[in-house]
Amino acid sequence: MAKTSTTTQGLRAAIERSGYYPALVAEAVEAAVGGEPVRSYLVHQETTFDQNEVRRHVTVLVLTGNRFIVSHTDEQAADTTSPTPYATTSTESVKLGRISSIVVSRVVANPESYKPGTLPREIVLTIGWGAVSRIDLEPAACGDPNCEADHGYTGSSTADDLSLRVSEAGDGPETVRQALTFAQALSEATADTAR
């Protein structure tokens, strides 16, 4: 990553603040970004509970001038394949022109008294670029309640490559604000590539 950019420095600081294997995560992100300037980023650390285990993982989203980069790191306990705990880090680089869908779902409290600019209680950011899709099917029917004919199936296909939930209660207002900022920057960048 270009070390002179304040956005790049902010990204590195956010990775370090997450406290989640910062050297490992930063190295993976830096390798994926290469020399491109960072336009926007989001670092999201999440803790989940899996039966009797607590698991942590971090997702780093980076927007450059040409690409959307996703880095995800998970930790694993020692198991039959490894006598010591280990972490798995993966990065994916997507050309901006491949992004087909950006959905920002906002949850606001007391919508009747909502004032523009008020931070949502939580957001879910869903980004699709065609690598993973979800297909929901159900039997098709006609309007006749006595009809027993087979009308086939109906359904929908939804791009579901990445879905990230950020909440004020769990992640803090600054992370919610950063997620909204990142979503807007990504939306604007993909609009620019569509022209």
Side-chain angles (χ1 to χ4, degrees), residues 8 27-28 33 37 45 47 63 75 81-82 87 101 108 120 131 155 169 178:
T8 301
E27 182 178 55
V33 170
Q45 193 225 327
T47 302
L63 174 63
E75 65 182 356
T81 63
S82 176
S101 169
V108 297
Q178 184 68 33

Side-chain angles (χ1 to χ4, degrees), residues 2-3 6 8 49 55 65 93 100 117 120 140 159 164:
K3 301 295 181 202
T6 55
T8 301
F49 300 95
R55 292 186 180 228
S93 176
S100 57
L164 193 70

Side-chain angles (χ1 to χ4, degrees), residues 112-185:
E112 69 281 353
S113 61
Y114 177 80
K115 290 184 177 41
T118 302
L119 207 56
R121 185 171 66 198
E122 71 179 59
I123 71 162
V124 177
L125 174 60
T126 305
I127 303 167
W129 56 91
V132 178
S133 293
R134 181 181 69 240
I135 298 177
D136 296 317
L137 294 175
E138 61 184 39
C142 66
D144 181 359
N146 297 319
C147 180
E148 294 182 13
D150 182 357
H151 295 286
Y153 289 88
T154 185
S156 62
S157 175
T158 308
D160 198 17
D161 295 304
L162 174 74
S163 189
L164 193 70
R165 178 183 172 268
V166 178
S167 72
E168 187 177 28
D171 303 298
E174 188 52 41
T175 303
V176 173
R177 189 174 288 107
Q178 184 68 33
L180 288 169
T181 300
F182 181 83
Q184 182 174 349

Side-chain angles (χ1 to χ4, degrees), residues 8-29:
T8 301
Q9 292 168 351
L11 170 58
R12 181 67 186 238
I15 291 171
E16 289 174 5
R17 265 192 318 275
S18 80
Y20 186 81
Y21 308 121
L24 174 66
V25 173
E27 182 178 55
V29 171

